[in-house]
Amino acid sequence: MAPQQTGSRKRKAPAIEAGAASSSSQGLAAADAEGPLLPKKQKRPATRRSLVHYLKGREVGAWGGSGLSGSKGELRGYAVQKLPELLRERELALGTLNKVFASQWLNARQVVCGTKCNTLFVVDVHSGQITRIPLMRDRGPWLARAQPTCGIHAIELNPSKTLLATGGENPNSLAVYQLPTLDPVCLGDRHGHKDWIFTIAWMSDTVAVSGSRDGTVALWRMDPDMFSGSIAWHSDAGLPVYAHIRPRDMETIPRSSTSPSNRKVRALAFSGKNQELGAVSLDGYFHLWKARSTLSRLLSIRLPYCRENVCLTYCDELSLYAVGSQSHVSFLDPRQRQQNIRPLCSREGGTGVRSLSFYQHIITVGTGHGSLLFYDIRAQKFLEERASASPDSSPGPSGRKLKLTCGRGWLNHDDLWVNYFGGIGEFPNALYTHCYNWPEMKLFVAGGPLPSGLHGNYAGLWS
Protein backbone atom coordinates (compact mmCIF):
# COMPACT_ATOMS: atom_id res chain seq x y z
CA MET A 1 0.00 0.00 0.00
CA ALA A 2 1.52 3.29 -1.04
CA PRO A 3 1.94 5.84 1.73
CA GLN A 4 0.26 9.23 1.53
CA GLN A 5 2.82 11.75 0.44
CA THR A 6 1.45 15.15 1.34
CA GLY A 7 -0.65 17.32 3.55
CA SER A 8 -2.87 15.12 5.67
CA ARG A 9 -2.06 14.73 9.34
CA LYS A 10 -3.83 11.39 9.41
CA ARG A 11 -1.54 8.84 7.81
CA LYS A 12 -2.57 5.42 6.61
CA ALA A 13 -0.87 2.43 8.20
CA PRO A 14 1.52 0.75 5.75
CA ALA A 15 0.52 -2.67 4.43
CA ILE A 16 1.82 -5.84 6.03
CA GLU A 17 3.94 -8.20 3.96
CA ALA A 18 2.21 -11.42 2.94
CA GLY A 19 5.41 -13.42 2.36
CA ALA A 20 6.37 -16.29 4.50
CA ALA A 21 14.04 -22.69 2.69
CA SER A 22 27.49 -26.63 -2.95
CA SER A 23 27.08 -23.30 -4.64
CA SER A 24 27.92 -22.30 -8.19
CA SER A 25 31.45 -21.09 -8.70
CA GLN A 26 30.19 -18.15 -10.76
CA GLY A 27 28.86 -15.95 -7.95
CA LEU A 28 28.07 -12.38 -8.87
CA ALA A 29 28.63 -10.78 -5.47
CA ALA A 30 30.05 -11.57 -2.06
CA ALA A 31 29.50 -9.99 1.32
CA ASP A 32 32.13 -9.66 4.01
CA ALA A 33 32.03 -12.12 6.90
CA GLU A 34 30.15 -10.62 9.81
CA GLY A 35 33.09 -10.74 12.18
CA PRO A 36 34.86 -13.25 14.36
CA LEU A 37 33.05 -16.55 14.61
CA LEU A 38 32.08 -18.09 17.90
CA PRO A 39 34.22 -21.03 19.01
CA LYS A 40 33.05 -24.24 17.40
CA LYS A 41 32.82 -25.96 20.77
CA GLN A 42 30.81 -23.89 23.18
CA LYS A 43 30.88 -24.77 26.84
CA ARG A 44 27.61 -26.14 28.13
CA PRO A 45 26.60 -27.86 31.34
CA ALA A 46 27.76 -31.45 31.37
CA THR A 47 24.25 -32.87 31.57
CA ARG A 48 23.27 -31.07 28.37
CA ARG A 49 26.49 -31.80 26.52
CA SER A 50 26.11 -35.53 27.05
CA LEU A 51 22.68 -35.64 25.39
CA VAL A 52 23.60 -33.50 22.39
CA HIS A 53 26.97 -35.19 21.88
CA TYR A 54 25.41 -38.64 22.15
CA LEU A 55 22.80 -37.84 19.50
CA LYS A 56 25.33 -36.20 17.18
CA GLY A 57 27.56 -39.23 17.54
CA ARG A 58 24.68 -41.59 16.86
CA GLU A 59 23.92 -39.75 13.59
CA VAL A 60 27.31 -40.89 12.23
CA GLY A 61 27.31 -44.30 13.88
CA ALA A 62 29.85 -43.46 16.55
CA TRP A 63 27.81 -44.99 19.34
CA GLY A 64 26.66 -48.56 19.63
CA GLY A 65 25.52 -50.99 22.28
CA SER A 66 22.88 -53.61 22.60
CA GLY A 67 20.63 -51.80 25.05
CA LEU A 68 19.97 -48.64 22.96
CA SER A 69 17.67 -49.78 20.18
CA GLY A 70 14.53 -49.94 22.31
CA SER A 71 14.98 -46.39 23.59
CA LYS A 72 15.95 -44.64 20.34
CA GLY A 73 12.51 -43.09 19.94
CA GLU A 74 12.46 -41.72 23.48
CA LEU A 75 15.99 -40.34 23.21
CA ARG A 76 15.30 -38.60 19.93
CA GLY A 77 12.01 -37.23 21.22
CA TYR A 78 13.76 -35.97 24.35
CA ALA A 79 16.44 -34.27 22.23
CA VAL A 80 13.84 -32.60 20.02
CA GLN A 81 12.15 -31.18 23.11
CA LYS A 82 15.39 -30.04 24.75
CA LEU A 83 17.17 -28.54 21.72
CA PRO A 84 15.27 -25.20 21.58
CA GLU A 85 16.43 -24.12 25.04
CA LEU A 86 20.06 -24.83 24.06
CA LEU A 87 20.02 -22.67 20.93
CA ARG A 88 22.06 -19.47 20.82
CA GLU A 89 21.97 -16.90 18.03
CA ARG A 90 24.72 -15.65 15.74
CA GLU A 91 23.47 -13.04 13.26
CA LEU A 92 24.58 -13.21 9.62
CA ALA A 93 25.16 -10.01 7.64
CA LEU A 94 23.22 -9.89 4.34
CA GLY A 95 24.18 -6.39 3.23
CA THR A 96 21.28 -4.41 1.75
CA LEU A 97 19.17 -7.34 0.53
CA ASN A 98 15.45 -6.95 1.17
CA LYS A 99 13.47 -9.53 3.21
CA VAL A 100 14.34 -13.21 3.01
CA PHE A 101 11.15 -15.10 2.17
CA ALA A 102 12.45 -18.65 1.65
CA SER A 103 15.40 -20.83 2.69
CA GLN A 104 16.67 -24.42 2.60
CA TRP A 105 19.86 -26.14 3.78
CA LEU A 106 22.01 -27.40 0.90
CA ASN A 107 24.59 -29.10 3.12
CA ALA A 108 26.13 -28.78 6.58
CA ARG A 109 27.33 -25.20 6.03
CA GLN A 110 25.38 -23.68 3.11
CA VAL A 111 21.82 -22.34 2.99
CA VAL A 112 20.11 -21.19 -0.21
CA CYS A 113 17.76 -18.20 0.19
CA GLY A 114 15.32 -16.12 -1.87
CA THR A 115 14.41 -12.49 -1.22
CA LYS A 116 11.74 -9.92 -1.93
CA CYS A 117 14.24 -8.08 -4.15
CA ASN A 118 14.29 -11.20 -6.38
CA THR A 119 17.76 -12.37 -5.36
CA LEU A 120 18.65 -16.05 -5.14
CA PHE A 121 21.80 -16.60 -3.11
CA VAL A 122 23.76 -19.12 -1.06
CA VAL A 123 25.12 -18.08 2.35
CA ASP A 124 27.96 -19.95 4.05
CA VAL A 125 26.91 -19.98 7.70
CA HIS A 126 30.52 -20.48 8.85
CA SER A 127 32.24 -17.67 6.94
CA GLY A 128 29.23 -15.43 6.20
CA GLN A 129 30.13 -15.32 2.48
CA ILE A 130 27.24 -14.76 0.08
CA THR A 131 27.18 -16.12 -3.50
CA ARG A 132 24.43 -14.92 -5.82
CA ILE A 133 22.85 -17.38 -8.27
CA PRO A 134 21.80 -16.10 -11.72
CA LEU A 135 18.04 -16.29 -12.30
CA MET A 136 16.51 -17.96 -15.36
CA ARG A 137 14.75 -15.78 -17.92
CA ASP A 138 11.52 -16.39 -19.84
CA ARG A 139 11.61 -16.85 -23.59
CA GLY A 140 9.33 -13.88 -24.15
CA PRO A 141 8.94 -10.40 -22.61
CA TRP A 142 7.04 -10.39 -19.32
CA LEU A 143 7.78 -7.07 -17.62
CA ALA A 144 4.57 -5.52 -18.92
CA ARG A 145 2.40 -8.14 -17.18
CA ALA A 146 4.37 -9.00 -14.03
CA GLN A 147 5.78 -7.01 -11.15
CA PRO A 148 9.38 -8.06 -10.46
CA THR A 149 9.36 -6.60 -6.95
CA CYS A 150 7.38 -9.47 -5.39
CA GLY A 151 10.50 -11.63 -5.19
CA ILE A 152 11.14 -15.31 -4.52
CA HIS A 153 8.62 -16.78 -2.09
CA ALA A 154 9.48 -20.48 -2.33
CA ILE A 155 12.54 -22.73 -2.45
CA GLU A 156 12.18 -26.51 -2.23
CA LEU A 157 14.59 -29.44 -2.70
CA ASN A 158 13.38 -32.74 -4.15
CA PRO A 159 13.54 -35.83 -1.86
CA SER A 160 16.98 -36.98 -3.10
CA LYS A 161 18.33 -33.39 -2.94
CA THR A 162 19.43 -33.50 -6.58
CA LEU A 163 17.10 -30.72 -7.82
CA LEU A 164 16.03 -27.33 -6.44
CA ALA A 165 12.80 -25.61 -7.49
CA THR A 166 12.23 -21.88 -7.02
CA GLY A 167 11.11 -18.79 -8.94
CA GLY A 168 12.64 -17.32 -12.06
CA GLU A 169 13.50 -13.74 -13.00
CA ASN A 170 9.81 -13.56 -13.77
CA PRO A 171 8.14 -14.41 -10.43
CA ASN A 172 5.34 -16.20 -12.32
CA SER A 173 7.78 -18.87 -13.60
CA LEU A 174 9.06 -22.10 -12.04
CA ALA A 175 12.85 -22.52 -12.20
CA VAL A 176 14.63 -25.84 -11.56
CA TYR A 177 18.36 -26.10 -10.81
CA GLN A 178 20.59 -29.15 -10.50
CA LEU A 179 22.37 -29.86 -7.21
CA PRO A 180 25.04 -29.54 -5.96
CA THR A 181 26.26 -27.38 -8.89
CA LEU A 182 23.17 -25.13 -9.13
CA ASP A 183 23.34 -25.35 -12.91
CA PRO A 184 20.02 -24.38 -14.57
CA VAL A 185 17.92 -27.32 -15.79
CA CYS A 186 14.53 -26.03 -16.95
CA LEU A 187 12.03 -23.19 -16.65
CA GLY A 188 8.24 -23.34 -16.70
CA ASP A 189 7.24 -19.98 -18.13
CA ARG A 190 4.73 -18.95 -20.79
CA HIS A 191 2.31 -21.87 -20.47
CA GLY A 192 2.22 -21.79 -16.68
CA HIS A 193 1.00 -19.31 -14.08
CA LYS A 194 -0.23 -15.81 -14.88
CA ASP A 195 0.70 -14.38 -11.48
CA TRP A 196 3.35 -14.80 -8.77
CA ILE A 197 4.30 -18.25 -7.52
CA PHE A 198 3.87 -18.29 -3.74
CA THR A 199 4.58 -21.95 -2.94
CA ILE A 200 6.17 -25.16 -4.27
CA ALA A 201 6.02 -28.80 -3.15
CA TRP A 202 7.80 -31.88 -4.56
CA MET A 203 5.72 -35.05 -4.98
CA SER A 204 8.70 -37.14 -6.11
CA ASP A 205 12.23 -36.61 -7.41
CA THR A 206 10.91 -35.51 -10.83
CA VAL A 207 7.41 -34.12 -10.13
CA ALA A 208 6.75 -30.74 -8.48
CA VAL A 209 3.61 -28.71 -7.83
CA SER A 210 3.43 -24.92 -7.68
CA GLY A 211 0.70 -22.68 -6.29
CA SER A 212 0.12 -19.14 -7.54
CA ARG A 213 -1.59 -15.90 -6.73
CA ASP A 214 -3.64 -16.47 -9.90
CA GLY A 215 -5.65 -19.14 -8.03
CA THR A 216 -4.17 -22.15 -9.82
CA VAL A 217 -2.12 -25.20 -8.87
CA ALA A 218 0.24 -26.54 -11.57
CA LEU A 219 1.86 -29.98 -11.79
CA TRP A 220 5.28 -30.13 -13.49
CA ARG A 221 7.24 -33.20 -14.56
CA MET A 222 11.00 -32.97 -15.13
CA ASP A 223 12.36 -35.27 -17.84
CA PRO A 224 15.43 -37.11 -16.44
CA ASP A 225 17.19 -36.53 -19.79
CA MET A 226 17.28 -32.81 -18.98
CA PHE A 227 19.63 -33.30 -16.03
CA SER A 228 21.47 -36.52 -16.87
CA GLY A 229 24.70 -34.59 -17.52
CA SER A 230 26.91 -33.22 -14.76
CA ILE A 231 27.12 -29.68 -16.20
CA ALA A 232 24.66 -27.34 -17.87
CA TRP A 233 24.63 -26.86 -21.63
CA HIS A 234 26.09 -23.58 -22.86
CA SER A 235 25.51 -21.57 -26.01
CA ASP A 236 28.25 -20.31 -28.31
CA ALA A 237 28.28 -17.10 -26.28
CA GLY A 238 29.01 -19.07 -23.11
CA LEU A 239 25.55 -18.45 -21.59
CA PRO A 240 23.73 -21.35 -19.89
CA VAL A 241 21.02 -23.04 -21.95
CA TYR A 242 18.03 -24.70 -20.25
CA ALA A 243 14.81 -26.36 -21.33
CA HIS A 244 11.45 -24.57 -21.31
CA ILE A 245 8.63 -26.76 -20.01
CA ARG A 246 4.88 -26.56 -19.65
CA PRO A 247 2.74 -27.98 -16.82
CA ARG A 248 1.32 -31.48 -17.18
CA ASP A 249 -1.83 -30.42 -15.34
CA MET A 250 -3.33 -27.17 -14.02
CA GLU A 251 -6.25 -26.98 -11.62
CA THR A 252 -8.14 -23.92 -10.40
CA ILE A 253 -9.01 -23.38 -6.75
CA PRO A 254 -12.83 -23.28 -6.46
CA ARG A 255 -14.37 -19.90 -5.77
CA SER A 256 -15.91 -19.50 -2.33
CA SER A 257 -19.20 -17.74 -1.82
CA THR A 258 -17.71 -15.60 0.96
CA SER A 259 -14.75 -14.24 -0.98
CA PRO A 260 -15.00 -15.21 -4.66
CA SER A 261 -12.15 -12.98 -5.84
CA ASN A 262 -9.57 -13.93 -3.20
CA ARG A 263 -8.67 -17.54 -3.95
CA LYS A 264 -4.92 -16.97 -4.13
CA VAL A 265 -2.96 -20.15 -3.38
CA ARG A 266 -0.71 -19.25 -0.48
CA ALA A 267 0.86 -22.53 0.70
CA LEU A 268 1.19 -26.21 -0.25
CA ALA A 269 2.22 -29.32 1.70
CA PHE A 270 2.55 -32.87 0.34
CA SER A 271 1.72 -36.10 2.18
CA GLY A 272 3.95 -38.85 0.82
CA LYS A 273 2.15 -41.44 2.94
CA ASN A 274 -1.26 -40.70 1.41
CA GLN A 275 -0.07 -39.23 -1.91
CA GLU A 276 -2.19 -36.16 -1.23
CA LEU A 277 -1.54 -32.46 -1.59
CA GLY A 278 -2.86 -29.89 0.87
CA ALA A 279 -3.35 -26.28 -0.22
CA VAL A 280 -4.33 -23.11 1.65
CA SER A 281 -5.99 -20.21 -0.16
CA LEU A 282 -6.30 -16.65 1.13
CA ASP A 283 -10.11 -16.80 1.09
CA GLY A 284 -9.85 -18.96 4.23
CA TYR A 285 -10.08 -22.49 2.81
CA PHE A 286 -8.02 -25.67 3.01
CA HIS A 287 -8.15 -27.85 -0.11
CA LEU A 288 -7.05 -31.48 -0.47
CA TRP A 289 -6.00 -32.99 -3.81
CA LYS A 290 -5.22 -36.57 -4.77
CA ALA A 291 -1.82 -36.37 -6.42
CA ARG A 292 -1.06 -38.87 -9.16
CA SER A 293 -0.14 -38.10 -12.78
CA THR A 294 -2.82 -35.41 -12.50
CA LEU A 295 -4.51 -33.61 -9.60
CA SER A 296 -8.07 -34.38 -8.51
CA ARG A 297 -9.66 -32.39 -5.72
CA LEU A 298 -11.03 -34.44 -2.82
CA LEU A 299 -12.46 -31.76 -0.54
CA SER A 300 -12.43 -28.13 0.57
CA ILE A 301 -12.77 -27.12 4.24
CA ARG A 302 -13.52 -23.70 5.66
CA LEU A 303 -10.74 -22.88 8.12
CA PRO A 304 -11.66 -21.82 11.67
CA TYR A 305 -9.42 -18.73 11.47
CA CYS A 306 -9.54 -17.07 8.08
CA ARG A 307 -7.31 -14.00 8.27
CA GLU A 308 -3.82 -14.18 6.77
CA ASN A 309 -3.51 -17.95 6.35
CA VAL A 310 -0.03 -17.76 4.82
CA CYS A 311 1.81 -20.96 5.86
CA LEU A 312 1.15 -24.69 5.89
CA THR A 313 3.14 -27.73 6.97
CA TYR A 314 2.49 -31.47 7.24
CA CYS A 315 3.62 -34.15 9.70
CA ASP A 316 3.73 -37.66 8.19
CA GLU A 317 4.06 -39.33 11.59
CA LEU A 318 0.87 -37.73 12.90
CA SER A 319 -0.94 -37.47 9.51
CA LEU A 320 -1.63 -33.86 10.43
CA TYR A 321 -1.64 -30.54 8.57
CA ALA A 322 -0.93 -27.30 10.44
CA VAL A 323 -2.09 -23.90 9.10
CA GLY A 324 -0.69 -20.60 10.36
CA SER A 325 -2.97 -17.55 10.45
CA GLN A 326 -2.99 -14.06 11.96
CA SER A 327 -3.38 -15.28 15.52
CA HIS A 328 -3.57 -19.09 15.57
CA VAL A 329 -2.17 -22.37 14.31
CA SER A 330 -4.99 -24.74 13.31
CA PHE A 331 -4.55 -28.51 12.97
CA LEU A 332 -6.34 -30.60 10.34
CA ASP A 333 -6.60 -34.35 9.85
CA PRO A 334 -8.75 -34.68 6.69
CA ARG A 335 -9.74 -38.22 7.71
CA GLN A 336 -11.26 -37.13 11.00
CA ARG A 337 -14.58 -35.32 11.02
CA GLN A 338 -14.00 -34.12 14.56
CA GLN A 339 -10.61 -32.46 15.08
CA ASN A 340 -9.31 -33.48 18.50
CA ILE A 341 -6.33 -31.10 18.63
CA ARG A 342 -7.43 -27.63 19.62
CA PRO A 343 -5.90 -24.62 17.77
CA LEU A 344 -3.04 -22.90 19.52
CA CYS A 345 -3.12 -19.15 20.01
CA SER A 346 0.15 -17.42 19.13
CA ARG A 347 -0.68 -13.75 19.47
CA GLU A 348 2.52 -11.76 19.30
CA GLY A 349 1.32 -8.20 18.96
CA GLY A 350 -1.24 -9.27 16.33
CA THR A 351 1.55 -9.89 13.82
CA GLY A 352 0.60 -13.43 12.98
CA VAL A 353 2.29 -16.73 12.17
CA ARG A 354 4.76 -16.30 9.29
CA SER A 355 6.54 -19.68 9.16
CA LEU A 356 5.85 -23.20 10.44
CA SER A 357 7.69 -26.52 10.58
CA PHE A 358 7.05 -29.95 12.10
CA TYR A 359 9.67 -32.26 13.51
CA GLN A 360 8.28 -35.30 15.31
CA HIS A 361 5.86 -33.94 17.96
CA ILE A 362 7.29 -30.39 18.11
CA ILE A 363 6.04 -27.60 15.85
CA THR A 364 8.21 -24.48 15.47
CA VAL A 365 6.37 -21.18 14.96
CA GLY A 366 8.05 -18.12 13.45
CA THR A 367 6.06 -14.97 14.20
CA GLY A 368 5.78 -11.52 12.67
CA HIS A 369 7.17 -10.07 15.88
CA GLY A 370 10.68 -11.51 15.67
CA SER A 371 10.21 -14.53 17.92
CA LEU A 372 10.29 -18.33 17.69
CA LEU A 373 7.85 -20.42 19.72
CA PHE A 374 7.80 -24.20 20.18
CA TYR A 375 4.64 -26.24 20.65
CA ASP A 376 4.42 -29.85 21.86
CA ILE A 377 1.58 -31.55 19.98
CA ARG A 378 1.46 -34.50 22.38
CA ALA A 379 1.15 -32.33 25.49
CA GLN A 380 -0.84 -29.66 23.58
CA LYS A 381 1.11 -26.83 25.16
CA PHE A 382 4.08 -24.57 24.41
CA LEU A 383 7.52 -25.56 25.64
CA GLU A 384 8.38 -23.60 28.76
CA GLU A 385 11.49 -21.92 30.05
CA ARG A 386 13.39 -23.66 32.81
CA ALA A 387 13.40 -21.98 36.21
CA SER A 388 16.72 -21.47 37.97
CA ALA A 389 17.59 -24.51 40.02
CA SER A 390 18.50 -24.45 43.67
CA PRO A 391 21.63 -26.35 44.72
CA ASP A 392 19.42 -29.20 45.99
CA SER A 393 17.12 -29.60 42.98
CA SER A 394 17.09 -29.78 39.20
CA PRO A 395 15.50 -26.93 37.19
CA GLY A 396 11.79 -27.27 36.50
CA PRO A 397 9.28 -25.47 34.26
CA SER A 398 8.90 -21.77 35.02
CA GLY A 399 5.38 -21.42 33.60
CA ARG A 400 6.67 -18.95 30.96
CA LYS A 401 6.61 -19.83 27.26
CA LEU A 402 10.03 -20.58 25.83
CA LYS A 403 10.56 -17.78 23.31
CA LEU A 404 13.68 -17.13 21.27
CA THR A 405 13.85 -13.48 20.25
CA CYS A 406 15.82 -12.71 17.11
CA GLY A 407 18.31 -9.88 16.64
CA ARG A 408 17.80 -6.50 15.02
CA GLY A 409 19.10 -7.33 11.54
CA TRP A 410 19.45 -4.43 9.12
CA LEU A 411 16.85 -1.75 8.32
CA ASN A 412 17.08 0.94 5.64
CA HIS A 413 16.25 4.28 7.28
CA ASP A 414 14.73 5.71 4.12
CA ASP A 415 12.02 8.37 3.73
CA LEU A 416 9.20 5.93 4.45
CA TRP A 417 10.86 4.85 7.69
CA VAL A 418 11.46 8.48 8.70
CA ASN A 419 7.90 9.58 7.88
CA TYR A 420 6.01 6.64 9.37
CA PHE A 421 8.34 4.96 11.87
CA GLY A 422 10.88 7.63 12.79
CA GLY A 423 9.84 7.53 16.43
CA ILE A 424 10.51 3.81 16.75
CA GLY A 425 14.06 3.02 17.80
CA GLU A 426 13.86 -0.71 17.06
CA PHE A 427 11.62 -2.63 14.69
CA PRO A 428 11.08 -6.40 15.10
CA ASN A 429 11.66 -8.63 12.09
CA ALA A 430 8.99 -10.97 10.75
CA LEU A 431 10.45 -14.49 10.57
CA TYR A 432 9.26 -15.49 7.12
CA THR A 433 11.37 -18.63 6.94
CA HIS A 434 13.23 -21.09 9.13
CA CYS A 435 14.79 -24.50 8.46
CA TYR A 436 16.52 -27.07 10.67
CA ASN A 437 19.71 -29.00 10.06
CA TRP A 438 19.04 -31.75 12.61
CA PRO A 439 22.25 -33.79 12.20
CA GLU A 440 24.22 -30.63 13.03
CA MET A 441 21.71 -29.42 15.64
CA LYS A 442 21.36 -26.05 13.88
CA LEU A 443 18.47 -23.78 12.94
CA PHE A 444 18.60 -21.12 10.20
CA VAL A 445 16.09 -18.27 10.60
CA ALA A 446 15.53 -15.30 8.28
CA GLY A 447 13.09 -12.57 7.37
CA GLY A 448 12.77 -8.80 7.54
CA PRO A 449 10.45 -5.98 8.64
CA LEU A 450 6.74 -6.82 8.46
CA PRO A 451 5.31 -3.64 6.80
CA SER A 452 5.58 -4.08 3.03
CA GLY A 453 7.07 -0.63 2.43
CA LEU A 454 10.02 -1.06 4.79
CA HIS A 455 13.30 -2.34 3.35
CA GLY A 456 15.52 -4.53 5.51
CA ASN A 457 16.62 -8.05 6.37
CA TYR A 458 17.44 -10.47 9.15
CA ALA A 459 19.29 -13.79 9.10
CA GLY A 460 20.62 -15.78 12.01
CA LEU A 461 22.16 -19.15 12.74
CA TRP A 462 20.89 -20.69 15.97
CA SER A 463 23.09 -23.48 17.29
Side-chain angles (χ1 to χ4, degrees):
M1 185 182 298
Q4 294 180 351
Q5 298 293 333
T6 58
S8 173
R9 293 182 181 177
K10 195 173 184 180
R11 292 189 175 110
K12 257 182 163 178
I16 288 178
E17 203 71 63
S22 41
S23 65
S24 169
S25 59
Q26 299 177 347
L28 299 183
D32 294 334
E34 49 95 31
L37 303 181
L38 294 176
K40 289 184 179 178
K41 294 183 179 179
Q42 299 183 28
K43 293 184 179 180
R44 300 201 188 280
T47 54
R48 293 180 177 178
R49 283 178 63 87
S50 62
L51 171 68
V52 175
H53 284 205
Y54 163 74
L55 285 165
K56 289 183 74 173
R58 191 164 60 80
E59 291 283 351
V60 295
W63 290 76
S66 58
L68 295 176
S69 58
S71 60
K72 280 184 178 179
E74 287 114 2
L75 280 168
R76 179 169 286 278
Y78 183 70
V80 169
Q81 189 157 339
K82 292 297 179 185
L83 178 64
E85 66 185 83
L86 306 180
L87 295 173
R88 298 294 179 268
E89 178 192 38
R90 177 167 61 86
E91 283 199 54
L92 300 169
L94 301 183
T96 59
L97 293 172
N98 190 21
K99 299 182 186 178
V100 180
F101 282 157
S103 65
Q104 290 289 337
W105 286 91
L106 292 178
N107 51 52
R109 63 183 295 162
Q110 292 180 312
V111 179
V112 59
C113 302
T115 71
K116 182 180 180 180
C117 54
N118 225 36
T119 301
L120 182 68
F121 69 92
V122 173
V123 58
D124 186 314
V125 297
H126 291 182
S127 68
Q129 179 177 339
I130 290 176
T131 305
R132 297 197 186 195
I133 308 303
L135 297 177
M136 297 189 215
R137 292 185 174 181
D138 286 9
R139 279 180 293 191
W142 54 270
L143 288 172
R145 59 184 175 87
Q147 300 174 40
T149 56
C150 86
I152 295 171
H153 284 265
I155 297 174
E156 294 294 335
L157 276 59
N158 69 348
S160 66
K161 298 187 177 180
T162 54
L163 295 176
L164 179 151
T166 184
E169 186 177 89
N170 177 356
N172 304 355
S173 300
L174 180 83
V176 179
Y177 294 82
Q178 189 167 15
L179 295 176
T181 60
L182 281 168
D183 287 321
V185 173
C186 58
L187 183 71
D189 44 16
R190 287 187 297 178
H191 299 285
H193 297 294
K194 301 298 187 289
D195 209 334
W196 310 341
I197 290 176
F198 270 151
T199 178
I200 299 167
W202 285 92
M203 291 167 44
S204 71
D205 269 344
T206 56
V207 177
V209 180
S210 55
S212 168
R213 205 171 77 147
D214 65 6
T216 63
V217 176
L219 185 146
W220 310 83
R221 186 178 299 277
M222 270 50 77
D223 186 342
D225 292 339
M226 289 188 295
F227 48 89
S228 57
S230 59
I231 59 172
W233 306 309
H234 289 79
S235 66
D236 294 338
L239 299 174
V241 177
Y242 38 84
H244 292 262
I245 61 174
R246 62 177 63 198
R248 295 296 181 94
D249 186 26
M250 285 194 78
E251 298 293 332
T252 301
I253 294 289
R255 294 178 184 271
S256 71
S257 57
T258 55
S259 183
S261 62
N262 193 19
R263 51 179 178 167
K264 302 167 184 176
V265 182
R266 195 58 192 83
L268 298 171
F270 179 65
S271 163
K273 180 193 297 184
N274 301 315
Q275 293 294 294
E276 292 172 351
L277 183 77
V280 168
S281 53
L282 282 180
D283 57 359
Y285 277 82
F286 170 84
H287 311 272
L288 191 68
W289 308 75
K290 195 66 182 178
R292 296 190 179 94
S293 56
T294 59
L295 297 170
S296 56
R297 189 168 59 91
L298 298 174
L299 55 86
S300 295
I301 302 172
R302 178 75 169 167
L303 291 165
Y305 300 96
C306 300
R307 299 190 65 181
E308 295 185 38
N309 290 294
V310 297
C311 48
L312 174 71
T313 187
Y314 180 77
C315 178
D316 259 317
E317 294 173 356
L318 301 173
S319 299
L320 201 64
Y321 290 92
V323 182
S325 69
Q326 187 182 58
S327 57
H328 290 79
V329 177
S330 306
F331 300 101
L332 297 170
D333 182 347
R335 284 164 176 71
Q336 300 289 333
R337 290 188 177 183
Q338 185 71 29
Q339 302 300 322
N340 55 11
I341 300 181
R342 65 179 184 270
L344 67 93
C345 181
S346 58
R347 283 195 184 91
E348 290 285 309
T351 55
V353 177
R354 298 293 152 178
S355 57
L356 282 176
S357 69
F358 260 121
Y359 191 78
Q360 293 202 356
H361 59 285
I362 300 296
I363 186 166
T364 303
V365 181
T367 75
H369 205 66
S371 60
L372 290 165
L373 306 172
F374 306 89
Y375 189 78
D376 186 335
I377 291 289
R378 293 187 309 194
Q380 295 199 33
K381 66 177 185 179
F382 287 98
L383 298 189
E384 295 180 356
E385 293 179 1
R386 293 280 162 178
S388 299
S390 67
D392 300 324
S393 65
S394 59
S398 66
R400 297 186 301 271
K401 273 191 296 193
L402 175 63
K403 181 166 72 172
L404 303 183
T405 302
C406 293
R408 297 178 62 179
W410 172 79
L411 181 64
N412 184 13
H413 293 177
D414 55 11
D415 289 344
L416 186 139
W417 180 85
V418 171
N419 292 332
Y420 288 88
F421 302 100
I424 301 176
E426 293 187 18
F427 209 93
N429 289 292
L431 305 183
Y432 294 117
T433 179
H434 68 263
C435 52
Y436 282 94
N437 176 354
W438 277 101
E440 297 284 327
M441 299 286 184
K442 293 175 182 175
L443 172 62
F444 178 83
V445 186
L450 188 62
S452 61
L454 288 183
H455 184 118
N457 65 66
Y458 162 81
L461 178 68
W462 291 78
S463 61

